[in-house]
Amino acid sequence: MYGSASTHDLPTSAATGLENEDPILLAEFEARIGRGEKIEPGDWMPALYRKQLTRMIEQHAHSEIIGSLPEGTWITRAPGFRRKMAQMAKVQDEVGHAQLLYSAAETLGKTREQMLIDLINGKSKYSNVFNYPTPTWADSNVISWLIDAGAIVNQLANAKGSYGPYCRALDRICAEEAFHLKYGHDAVVHMATGTPIQRKMMQEALNRWWPAIMTFFGPSDKMSVHTEILMRWKVKMASNDECRNQFLDMYVPKIWEIGLTLPDANLRKNEETGVWEFTEPDWEDFKRVINGDGPCNAERIAVRRAAEENGAWVRRALLTPKTQYVRPLA
Amino acid sequence: MINSHDPRMNRLGLPDAPEAPAAKGALDQFGTYEVFHQKKEGAPFVYVGPVHAPEADVAFLFAKEQYSRRFACTGMWVVPTAAITVTAYVGDQESAYDTLPLLPKSSAPAAGLADDTAAAEAAYAAGEEDYDIFHLKKRGKAHQHVGKVRASSPADALQVAKGVFGELRPVANVWAVRAADFLRSEDEDRDIWTTTPEKKYRDAISYKVQDRIEKFKAENPQSH
């Protein structure tokens, strides 16, 4: 699972640093991407490409590992043995995705140690939706279905990007997300077509999560110099609005067909333009939460940090001090 | 103290405003190994990705968890990243072998396909070893095992591989690895790969919701 945490903190200055790059190498790099070839770790790349991809893949990795917490909470309380096993498998998948993504980011030069520290000291971001709680089993189901659905829209787009290691990781990730999506849909349909109490529980969870879901893809992109360059370099593959519209187009009808409603009276598809209309999300609140003041920010980081610190003695015991660190190759 | 919906989190007694975390020491996350798997019997081994691990046995364990937990395979190899010799990356229509230094004819290594003839015995006795050779056919795809060569060094192995596999074009990149540096799964242990397909609850096809949706719509014509 993944949000567009990476896309709302593009560098704000107009400086791209491109004027400092070797024009011949830059032209070769752009020609390679233009031919549809992937960039591999040993290739020359502009500093802005390296920096933006590192940030994006790292944030994706953090989102996987933090995103496993609100669902992980429900493993022991999922109704029935089969659902416990399935919920556990899904959470294990998400943590595995983080492993793949940390390695892909490492090929760009940032160590895993530094990424893990930057997560727990609050320097790096992760998808903002995970700063909200899952007070009921139905909330966990909404994440399994709709947050993963949003993530798939994002990840399928990014899998066509230009960086080889990220593409390889995303191919594996997307294959597993197919299970998450079906599992989540099944869980939501079970509740929505169940007893009146189950239906009510699911509707309330959906009402709680809808505002966060609408912010999942980030604010409208300003077509800045950076956005244009990153799209040309196939770092960013689709605008936030395009992703959001695709998500609404695929999932709102599926929500409505099982008798659930969405808490936005203005939500409708403009049949002439094919574009969904909706009440603009509260971006001020979004900014407040992503900057640390959400209901679960402190808990997420504290739990992640406790896991890191409680495992430190095991890692120390296993350490082979003569090992020389080498970046993963691909 | 952090107040969570999850009682297990509450039992940890985590502070609200902790001090800044300590920096991690070098190798806190260990060194790296690269992992290859074989999808089915007789298929070539293909690169699947890296793992961090303190030693080869643990790397194998992590690799099995990370890369075969979901994708069935019949064999797995792990090797320290540092043991892999990498050529330059070239374009998707070119051959990475063309970037190797050209040797004068007299010093070109004799073709050394790894085998067990008398000549090979003599070469091994003289210090030559087997190297596994992997080709990346296209950028963005994965390196694939093409075979073994016998050589006296990694650079020598790449030169020998050029003679043996150089006709296979295009090759965007080549890896050469001393065969002895791998930890490989053994045939007699192949039972370890058979658990994956049994776990149906984590397959997308196990979840069939359409019947229930249709039934619901038929019984509740007003609600959607």
Side-chain angles (χ1 to χ4, degrees):
Chain A
M1 59 176 75
Y2 173 44
S4 65
S6 55
T7 53
H8 48 67
D9 60 358
L10 288 173
T12 45
S13 76
T16 57
L18 283 191
E19 63 281 3
N20 300 325
E21 303 287 6
D22 180 324
I24 296 172
L25 293 174
L26 182 61
E28 282 172 6
F29 169 84
E30 294 199 334
R32 187 179 298 289
I33 292 173
R35 287 196 297 274
E37 289 185 10
K38 304 291 184 188
I39 302 301
E40 293 287 355
D43 291 332
W44 180 90
M45 59 185 83
L48 179 65
Y49 180 86
R50 186 182 298 277
K51 185 177 163 194
Q52 191 57 25
L53 262 177
T54 303
R55 172 158 43 192
M56 184 165 157
I57 303 172
E58 178 185 348
Q59 287 180 357
H60 189 172
H62 293 331
S63 299
E64 300 284 352
I65 211 154
I66 295 293
S68 71
L69 298 175
E71 285 181 293
T73 290
W74 283 95
I75 292 172
T76 55
R77 294 174 284 176
F81 185 66
R82 187 182 163 86
R83 286 195 187 84
K84 285 184 176 65
M85 295 295 281
Q87 183 92 351
M88 189 154 55
K90 181 178 187 300
V91 166
Q92 198 181 1
D93 283 350
E94 308 295 7
V95 176
H97 296 173
Q99 299 280 353
L100 293 172
L101 291 161
Y102 281 130
S103 294
E106 263 180 283
T107 63
L108 291 160
K110 185 165 180 178
T111 66
R112 183 173 301 215
E113 284 85 359
Q114 194 58 50
M115 288 188 268
L116 296 177
I117 281 293
D118 285 348
L119 172 63
I120 59 182
N121 70 18
K123 198 174 159 205
S124 294
K125 299 281 188 257
Y126 52 86
S127 185
N128 197 41
V129 292
F130 302 125
N131 288 320
Y132 294 91
T134 45
T136 75
W137 170 240
D139 293 74
S140 175
N141 297 160
V142 171
I143 293 187
S144 299
W145 186 30
L146 294 175
I147 299 296
D148 279 64
I152 291 172
V153 169
N154 246 326
Q155 289 167 167
L156 286 176
N158 286 341
K160 298 190 192 80
S162 61
Y163 191 54
Y166 193 33
C167 296
R168 278 186 286 271
L170 285 172
D171 283 345
R172 300 187 81 81
I173 290 170
C174 288
E176 295 182 358
E177 295 281 6
F179 149 62
H180 302 177
L181 188 64
K182 288 281 196 163
Y183 165 71
H185 193 197
D186 180 87
V188 171
V189 168
H190 180 81
M191 299 280 278
T193 64
T195 66
I197 291 174
Q198 285 175 316
R199 297 181 58 83
K200 181 166 177 277
M201 198 171 161
M202 182 50 70
Q203 183 63 60
E204 287 171 357
L206 190 56
N207 294 349
R208 272 192 290 278
W209 276 85
W210 191 249
I213 289 171
M214 286 302 291
T215 66
F216 181 76
F217 297 97
S220 281
D221 307 82
K222 292 181 213 78
M223 260 330 244
S224 68
V225 182
H226 283 94
T227 317
E228 193 208 320
I229 292 172
L230 294 172
M231 283 192 145
R232 186 167 81 226
W233 289 347
K234 297 186 186 169
V235 171
K236 190 170 170 56
M237 298 302 289
S239 78
N240 295 352
D241 285 329
E242 284 164 349
C243 287
R244 184 163 26 239
N245 198 62
Q246 190 189 341
F247 169 82
L248 293 172
D249 219 27
M250 290 170 78
Y251 293 97
V252 172
K254 287 184 193 295
I255 294 167
W256 282 343
E257 77 175 352
I258 48 178
L260 296 169
T261 59
L262 290 169
D264 179 359
N266 297 322
L267 182 70
R268 67 177 195 97
K269 186 175 180 174
N270 183 327
E271 290 300 341
E272 276 173 31
T273 60
V275 175
W276 283 81
E277 296 167 357
F278 47 82
T279 307
E280 193 62 24
D282 183 349
W283 294 112
E284 285 308 309
D285 188 61
F286 174 80
K287 263 186 235 162
R288 182 179 62 78
V289 174
I290 204 164
N291 286 324
D293 189 20
C296 294
N297 301 55
E299 176 185 339
R300 300 290 182 242
I301 296 298
V303 169
R304 183 68 227 130
R305 179 172 173 173
E308 280 294 317
E309 291 176 350
N310 293 342
W313 72 270
V314 182
R315 296 193 298 276
R316 255 197 322 276
L318 286 171
L319 187 70
T320 320
K322 283 184 196 154
T323 308
Q324 200 190 348
Y325 173 76
V326 185
R327 277 184 209 171
L329 284 182
Chain B
M1 278 218 313
I2 296 284
N3 182 17
S4 172
H5 286 289
D6 189 336
R8 295 170 308 163
M9 306 300 170
N10 289 333
R11 285 197 290 275
L12 291 172
L14 301 171
D16 270 327
E19 289 171 20
K24 283 181 176 293
L27 290 176
D28 175 83
Q29 297 293 305
F30 311 122
T32 61
Y33 288 75
E34 306 291 344
V35 184
F36 302 81
H37 87 170
Q38 182 190 45
K39 222 168 178 177
K40 53 186 179 192
E41 299 285 351
F45 278 73
V46 174
Y47 177 66
V48 283
V51 289
H52 285 240
E55 50 150 12
D57 284 331
V58 182
F60 189 88
L61 197 70
F62 288 172
K64 179 178 181 294
E65 199 55 30
Q66 178 77 48
Y67 297 107
S68 85
R69 194 174 73 75
R70 279 307 205 132
F71 299 89
C73 71
T74 52
M76 193 165 269
W77 300 345
V78 299
V79 69
T81 303
I84 302 181
T85 301
V86 187
T87 66
Y89 278 81
V90 298
D92 279 347
Q93 307 304 322
E94 303 164 47
S95 171
Y97 286 117
D98 294 344
T99 66
L100 296 179
L102 286 176
L103 300 179
K105 271 227 159 73
S106 58
S107 68
L113 262 182
D115 56 29
D116 56 0
T117 60
E121 289 299 328
Y124 289 133
E128 293 194 5
E129 293 180 278
D130 286 347
Y131 283 80
D132 284 290
I133 304 296
F134 299 85
H135 283 183
L136 180 68
K137 279 191 200 156
K138 192 174 190 277
R139 287 163 167 268
K141 302 295 177 194
H143 286 73
Q144 185 172 318
H145 190 240
V146 291
K148 275 186 166 57
V149 297
R150 196 183 64 236
S152 56
S153 70
D156 183 28
L158 287 170
Q159 293 287 353
V160 177
K162 181 180 181 178
V164 180
F165 307 114
E167 298 304 310
L168 300 170
R169 294 174 75 97
V171 187
N173 186 248
V174 182
W175 288 351
V177 195
R178 208 168 64 106
D181 288 335
F182 281 95
L183 176 65
R184 304 173 203 253
S185 58
E186 303 201 11
D187 257 8
E188 64 195 44
D189 292 332
R190 67 160 66 111
D191 284 0
I192 65 176
W193 310 116
T194 56
T195 55
T196 306
E198 291 166 9
K199 297 174 180 169
K200 300 289 183 220
Y201 56 82
R202 57 180 202 183
D203 289 342
I205 52 164
S206 300
Y207 295 89
K208 295 189 171 66
V209 293
Q210 206 52 41
D211 290 355
R212 270 180 292 155
I213 294 172
E214 295 306 328
K215 181 166 173 274
F216 174 81
K217 282 158 82 171
E219 291 170 358
N220 301 274
Q222 304 305 320
S223 75
H224 52 89

